[in-house]
Each structure stands twice: as structure tokens, then as C-alpha cells.
């Protein structure tokens, strides 16, 4: 052994304090964004069967939810609305008294220090479940942009700190940016779902948001999971159109895309740790197949390591508790 020349990498792994000293990637509570599903009515807290620990809540339960988040040290939420009434153009999405608009005002009045992000799409509000206006069986891109822009402006008027359009229509960032600026909301940033794949990991979310398409699928406007270069083109368009943040969705199966987006574009990058990723771990942990805490922290850290600055995750509450340890 005396003549061998090799590196002793294990020197930096010997103890927990040594490993902490040289740790390259760090997950913080400030990185976490918690999704909330708000429904119309009173005294409603419906468990989402396919997402253990996640609930649909009515406005009167929002303060309870926000108090818990503030106690845990989570500073940001993204709001999704589940309306009672739907129609072909998703009019409740841009109604001044729509469920998300009411929720935004409620949160900002009672918890002004929290950052409120409004998901901006039509799919929860249309009776056909698609993210735009349907004409002759097709999604009408430019007509949809008009309604999506109205939605963004109404959310900004309600007090949203950030607009997060998730519809994947061509030109949605440009349309929303112009609409916000013309309405006097040039200070409100756009967190674009820049790279959103037509993924099988969205199933549990559609249970929670009641947003499954009533015909066909969304592959004509969400991205093919096989494509990498297309993701760069999508992200470039959103940067050129004025996006302030870029989202990659889903996260776990697209860490390579996330890394490339981060390397190419100098904007805050957001990973969306989606419902299917959440539910699989919850199910495996419930069966005793994995250590939930360890696998959650490993997964979230992998997203940070891949370049994410922020993470939208249903594990936010759990992760905040783990970080307190």
C-alpha cells in the first residue's frame, strides 16, 4: 500500500459535522411554495383521497391554513380555485368575485407578509376541462389569450403578488405582461409555467382541482415528454416575452431539463414537485416500503441540485418540519 497514489475523498465524510461543513446544496424553508385548493361554500375541509394530507378548503378555513404555514416558516403559497359553476369559457376564472379572487383578498388582508401566487388558467373553470376556449374541437389560442389575460388582471386587482400562468398557449407571457402593464400592474411579476409537459404525473391534482378534460387530452398544447430542445425554445420565448420566473413541471422526471434551463437563462427557476410524485411517496411510505422523511428530503435536494431556486411542493409542511430537526 505504501506505493499507491490515490485521493482520500472519505476524509470529508467522516462525521456529520464534517459532512455539513462541505455540503454543496442547501434546502431552506424560504425555497418552499405550498399549493392550496380553495372551494366555494362554508365549513369545508375535504380530504383529497389520492393525496394523503392534502385538502380542499373553503374560505373560512384559510386562516387556519395560513396560521399553520406561518408557524412552520413557509412564506409563499400558490392558490388554485375549485368553483361551483363552470361554463364553456371559464368565466369564474376572471370574475371579480371568483373563488381565487376572494381567496387572494382573504389571505392578503389577514396575512400580508405571505407571498400569494395565483395560478392563472381556465381548466378548473371550463365545463370541458381544457385550458382555453374550444372551437370545433380545437383550442383557440388567441381567443384563449384574451380570457387568460382578463384572469391575470383580475387576480392582480385582488392583490396577488405573483401571476403564474399554466395554460401553455403560445404567447401567454406576452399577452399577460401587456395586460398587466396596461391595467397599472407593471410591478406584478409573471412566474411562467415555461416548460410544462403532458405528464402522467398530474392525475391526483385533477382529483383535487376537478380539472380533468371531458374529451381528448392536453397533448396539443402541453409538451411531449420526449423533447428537450423544445423545452429550450419554450423557455426562450417566455424570457423574450418578459417572464420573471421560469417553472419546469413536473420536476423529478425532468431534472435534466431543469439543469439546462438554469444553465441557459438567468432567471429564478421553479421546480413543480407535482401531485403524482407526492402521492407515490405517500403510498410507499404508508406501506412501509420507504422512509418518508429521508426520501422527501433527498428528492427536494435533488431539485435544488439540478438548479431550482424555489420548489412548489405538497411536501412543504412536512419538509419545514424536517428542517426544524
Amino acid at each position: 500500500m505504501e506505493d499507491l497514489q490515490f485521493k482520500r475523498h472519505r476524509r470529508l465524510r467522516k462525521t456529520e459535522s464534517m459532512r455539513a461543513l462541505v455540503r454543496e446544496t442547501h434546502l431552506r424553508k424560504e425555497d418552499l411554495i405550498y399549493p392550496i385548493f380553495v372551494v366555494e361554500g362554508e365549513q369545508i375541509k375535504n380530504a383529497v383521497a389520492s393525496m394523503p394530507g392534502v385538502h380542499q378548503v373553503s374560505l373560512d378555513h384559510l386562516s387556519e391554513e395560513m396560521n399553520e404555514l406561518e408557524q412552520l416558516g413557509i412564506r409563499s403559497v400558490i392558490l388554485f380555485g375549485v368553483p361551483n359553476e363552470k361554463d364553456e369559457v371559464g368565466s369564474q376564472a376572471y370574475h371579480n368575485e371568483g373563488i381565487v379572487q376572494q381567496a387572494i383578498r382573504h389571505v392578503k388582508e389577514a396575512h400580508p407578509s405571505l407571498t400569494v401566487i395565483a395560478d392563472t388558467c381556465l381548466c378548473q373553470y371550463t365545463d370541458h376541462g381544457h385550458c382555453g376556449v374550444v372551437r370545433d374541437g380545437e383550442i383557440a389560442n388567441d381567443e384563449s389569450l384574451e380570457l387568460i389575460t382578463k384572469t391575470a388582471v383580475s387576480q392582480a386587482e385582488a392583490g396577488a403578488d405573483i401571476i403564474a400562468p399554466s395554460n401553455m398557449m403560445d404567447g401567454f407571457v406576452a399577452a399577460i405582461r401587456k395586460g398587466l402593464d396596461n391595467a397599472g400592474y407593471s410591478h406584478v411579476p409573471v412566474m411562467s409555467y415555461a416548460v410544462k409537459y403532458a405528464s402522467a404525473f398530474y392525475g391526483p391534482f385533477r382529483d383535487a382541482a376537478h380539472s380533468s378534460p371531458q374529451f381528448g387530452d392536453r397533448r396539443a398544447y402541453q409538451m411531449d415528454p420526449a423533447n428537450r430542445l423544445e423545452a429550450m425554445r419554450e423557455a426562450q420565448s417566455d424570457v423574450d416575452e418578459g417572464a420573471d420566473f421560469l417553472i419546469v413541471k413536473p420536476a423529478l422526471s425532468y431534472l435534466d431539463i431543469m439543469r439546462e434551463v438554469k444553465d441557459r437563462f438567468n432567471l429564478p427557476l421553479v421546480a413543480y414537485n407535482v401531485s403524482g410524485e407526492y402521492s407515490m411517496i405517500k403510498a410507499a411510505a404508508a406501506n412501509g416500503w420507504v422512509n418518508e422523511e429521508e426520501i422527501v428530503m433527498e428528492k427536494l435536494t435533488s431539485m435544488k441540485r439540478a438548479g431550482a431556486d424555489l420548489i412548489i411542493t405538497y411536501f412543504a409542511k412536512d419538509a419545514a418540519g424536517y428542517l426544524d430537526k
Side-chain angles (χ1 to χ4, degrees):
M1 297 294 293
E2 294 180 0
D3 296 331
L4 290 178
Q5 297 293 320
F6 56 87
K7 300 290 185 181
R8 294 193 179 273
H9 300 289
R10 291 178 56 192
R11 290 170 181 156
L12 302 185
R13 305 173 193 155
K14 186 175 181 181
T15 64
E16 175 54 35
S17 61
M18 180 68 78
R19 292 190 293 272
L21 186 67
V22 298
R23 188 159 292 139
E24 301 171 21
T25 305
H26 297 273
L27 179 68
R28 309 172 306 150
K29 293 182 180 182
E30 291 85 353
D31 304 330
L32 305 173
I33 301 169
Y34 187 62
I36 297 178
F37 300 96
V38 189
V39 297
E40 297 187 64
E42 296 180 352
Q43 295 299 311
I44 298 173
K45 189 172 184 179
N46 295 331
V48 180
S50 57
M51 300 177 70
V54 174
H55 297 81
Q56 298 171 329
V57 297
S58 51
L59 291 173
D60 51 334
H61 277 290
L62 266 182
S63 286
E64 172 189 331
E65 196 80 41
M66 297 303 127
N67 287 335
E68 181 183 3
L69 293 173
E70 287 192 324
Q71 290 169 7
L72 287 168
I74 297 169
R75 300 180 180 180
S76 303
V77 296
I78 182 166
L79 299 178
F80 298 90
V82 185
N84 285 341
E85 297 180 6
K86 302 187 179 193
D87 57 37
E88 63 179 1
V89 293
S91 59
Q92 287 298 306
Y94 44 88
H95 195 289
N96 287 338
E97 292 301 319
I99 186 59
V100 159
Q101 287 78 0
Q102 292 185 59
I104 292 167
R105 288 193 289 268
H106 184 96
V107 174
K108 292 307 296 183
E109 288 170 7
H111 305 271
S113 65
L114 287 176
T115 297
V116 175
I117 305 164
D119 178 80
T120 307
C121 196
L122 301 180
C123 61
Q124 297 105 283
Y125 306 92
T126 55
D127 53 16
H128 47 72
H130 280 283
C131 302
V133 179
V134 177
R135 297 290 180 231
D136 299 322
E138 301 285 339
I139 310 303
N141 191 91
D142 295 6
E143 188 177 350
S144 300
L145 289 181
E146 295 179 14
L147 301 184
I148 290 163
T149 300
K150 285 180 65 176
T151 302
V153 171
S154 72
Q155 292 169 339
E157 287 175 346
D161 297 296
I162 299 172
I163 300 300
S166 58
N167 55 88
M168 287 299 284
M169 297 296 110
D170 290 335
F172 68 90
V173 172
I176 288 172
R177 185 71 274 159
K178 181 179 179 181
L180 290 173
D181 292 352
N182 288 346
Y185 298 104
S186 59
H187 60 285
V188 175
V190 174
M191 179 183 283
S192 170
Y193 285 68
V195 180
K196 183 178 180 180
Y197 285 92
S199 172
F201 285 100
Y202 301 153
F205 173 91
R206 291 172 183 170
D207 291 342
H210 299 171
S211 62
S212 295
Q214 298 304 300
F215 67 90
D217 55 38
R218 296 176 178 151
R219 295 180 184 276
Y221 46 101
Q222 294 179 0
M223 285 181 49
D224 186 334
N227 292 356
R228 178 183 63 85
L229 296 178
E230 183 185 11
M232 302 308 118
R233 296 195 297 270
E234 286 279 0
Q236 183 69 66
S237 292
D238 288 3
V239 171
D240 293 343
E241 292 172 19
D244 300 282
F245 303 78
L246 301 175
I247 299 175
V248 173
K249 179 183 181 181
L252 196 58
S253 292
Y254 300 90
L255 294 178
D256 59 323
I257 304 300
M258 201 177 304
R259 179 72 266 165
E260 192 163 0
V261 170
K262 185 62 177 179
D263 288 344
R264 289 196 184 200
F265 305 105
N266 189 26
L267 288 178
L269 179 62
V270 186
Y272 199 138
N273 176 205
V274 300
S275 59
E277 298 167 350
Y278 172 88
S279 297
M280 287 192 302
I281 288 179
K282 285 291 186 181
N287 279 284
W289 298 337
V290 297
N291 180 303
E292 183 173 336
E293 177 178 345
E294 290 181 359
I295 203 168
V296 166
M297 296 305 283
E298 182 176 342
K299 182 172 74 167
L300 297 179
T301 300
S302 77
M303 296 169 196
K304 290 281 293 189
R305 191 181 64 247
D309 299 290
L310 305 170
I311 304 172
I312 301 172
T313 178
Y314 305 96
F315 282 117
K317 292 179 181 178
D318 294 331
Y322 301 152
L323 288 168
D324 280 337
K325 293 183 180 181

